[in-house]
């Protein structure tokens, strides 16, 4: 998951990123049990990053949640704000995974590959 997060972070560094890439990154994050072990943890993420809240039944199924977030993102016009917040979230998750798994970045080009 660490290398995936590095790739997502590098994609978000671009000035113009297509909507489908943001939707894909969010989908992978929402479906990841490594990032969000419990569905309840996703509530705070969605409120903080996207400003979205849903009823309780939506959070019982990650696939339903992913579909709702995708639909709401497609209807939004401004995605750059989400991109910056998502970038900051990925930065913190990369640091958490790096500390947890004791990953040392000897090769600084790993994120580019």
């Amino acid at each position: 998951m660490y290398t995936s997060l590095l790739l997502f972070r590098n994609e978000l560094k671009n000035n113009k990123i297509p909507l489908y890439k943001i939707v894909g990154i969010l989908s992978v994050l929402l479906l990841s049990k490594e990032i969000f072990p419990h569905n309840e943890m996703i509530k705070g993420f969605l409120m903080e990053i996207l400003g979205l809240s849903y009823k309780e039944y939506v959070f019982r199924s990650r696939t339903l949640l992913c579909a709702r977030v995708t639909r709401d993102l497609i209807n939004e016009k401004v995605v750059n704000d989400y991109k910056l917040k998502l970038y900051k979230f990925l930065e913190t998750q990369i640091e958490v995974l790096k500390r947890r798994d004791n990953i040392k970045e000897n090769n600084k080009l790993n994120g580019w590959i």
Side-chain angles (χ1 to χ4, degrees):
M1 188 66 184
Y2 177 76
T3 55
S4 299
L5 291 179
L6 287 176
L7 293 174
F8 296 156
R9 182 186 64 182
N10 290 340
E11 283 292 327
L12 290 172
K13 282 183 184 178
N14 296 331
N15 288 335
K16 296 253 180 175
I17 183 169
L19 180 63
Y20 73 88
K21 286 188 178 183
I22 292 178
V23 168
I25 290 170
L26 276 172
S27 297
V28 170
L29 290 177
L30 290 176
L31 295 174
S32 172
K33 288 280 193 175
E34 193 171 342
I35 302 267
F36 301 111
H38 305 288
N39 290 2
E40 291 293 319
M41 298 173 75
I42 299 174
K43 285 182 185 179
F45 168 76
L46 288 178
M47 194 62 185
E48 180 184 332
I49 302 296
L50 304 175
L52 297 174
S53 63
Y54 299 108
K55 293 187 177 181
E56 197 64 36
Y57 74 91
V58 177
F59 289 98
R60 290 187 193 135
S61 168
R62 288 185 186 230
T63 53
L64 175 63
L65 182 64
C66 192
R68 292 287 296 270
V69 168
T70 301
R71 186 177 72 188
D72 288 343
L73 275 180
I74 289 174
N75 291 334
E76 285 289 321
K77 301 297 181 207
V78 180
V79 183
N80 283 335
D81 297 335
Y82 300 148
K83 182 183 91 163
L84 295 175
K85 291 178 183 178
L86 189 59
Y87 180 80
K88 290 177 185 175
F89 175 78
L90 287 176
E91 283 286 322
T92 58
Q93 287 300 316
I94 287 171
E95 290 302 317
V96 167
L97 287 177
K98 196 185 303 184
R99 273 187 259 124
R100 188 185 74 191
D101 298 339
N102 291 329
I103 296 174
K104 296 178 183 167
E105 283 195 39
N106 293 334
N107 187 359
K108 298 290 183 184
L109 297 177
N110 277 345
W112 287 22
I113 298 175

